Amino acid sequence: MLTGAELLAKVKDLGDVSKTDMATACGYVSKKKDGSDRVNFTAFYEALLNAKGVDLGGGSAGVGKGGRKLSYKAVVQGNGNLLVGKAYTAMLDLQPGDEFTIKLSKKKGVTLVPVGAEDEEGED
């Protein structure tokens, strides 16, 4: 799939072809389960806008369930758990099983430090 200046140049070179042919020529096509082609128009137009300098917000980063904006706040649940939502873990590319050391501050602050990162901090 072409992006950036390459995408803009290809679109300009193609001229007056159909939208389907344009997206396909730029590589925005995938195979369906039945083997037929599926043209990925959304990805094509997002890449085209991005190449022209229009930022659409980068997908899920900054948006939680239902399109709500992230509040960057957490609430202690009734059972005492403190939940960090999927949108935040996705922003940090965290995977199930990632481990953290919990650092508590005197002002009720909580910091999660990836295991092994404490060693790197001490070396500075």
Side-chain angles (χ1 to χ4, degrees), residues 2-24:
L2 298 178
T3 59
E6 291 177 324
L7 177 61
L8 292 175
K10 182 72 171 181
V11 168
K12 186 176 182 179
D13 288 344
L14 291 171
D16 291 334
V17 298
S18 72
K19 294 173 184 139
T20 301
D21 291 341
M22 188 174 297
T24 302

Side-chain angles (χ1 to χ4, degrees), residues 7-106:
L7 177 61
L8 292 175
K10 182 72 171 181
V11 168
K12 186 176 182 179
D13 288 344
L14 291 171
D16 291 334
V17 298
S18 72
K19 294 173 184 139
T20 301
D21 291 341
M22 188 174 297
T24 302
C26 293
Y28 290 86
V29 64
S30 59
K31 293 286 183 188
K32 293 182 185 178
K33 289 181 182 178
D34 66 3
S36 62
D37 287 342
R38 177 189 182 278
V39 181
N40 302 313
F41 287 108
T42 302
F44 172 69
Y45 287 121
E46 285 177 356
L48 193 57
L49 287 169
N50 209 356
K52 291 185 176 193
V54 177
D55 184 17
L56 296 177
S60 66
V63 178
K65 181 180 177 187
R68 292 178 283 147
K69 299 276 186 212
L70 294 177
S71 66
Y72 292 91
K73 294 180 185 178
V75 177
V76 177
Q77 298 177 334
N79 62 4
N81 289 345
L82 184 62
L83 179 70
V84 177
K86 183 177 180 179
Y88 300 103
T89 58
M91 287 173 62
L92 297 171
D93 195 29
L94 300 178
Q95 303 300 319
D98 287 352
E99 293 184 358
F100 294 85
T101 301
I102 300 170
K103 303 276 185 177
L104 303 175
S105 72
K106 293 179 183 178

Side-chain angles (χ1 to χ4, degrees), residues 101 103 113-124:
T101 301
K103 303 276 185 177
V113 181
V115 170
E118 310 89 35
D119 300 333
E120 296 171 11
E121 289 177 9
E123 295 175 3
D124 288 337

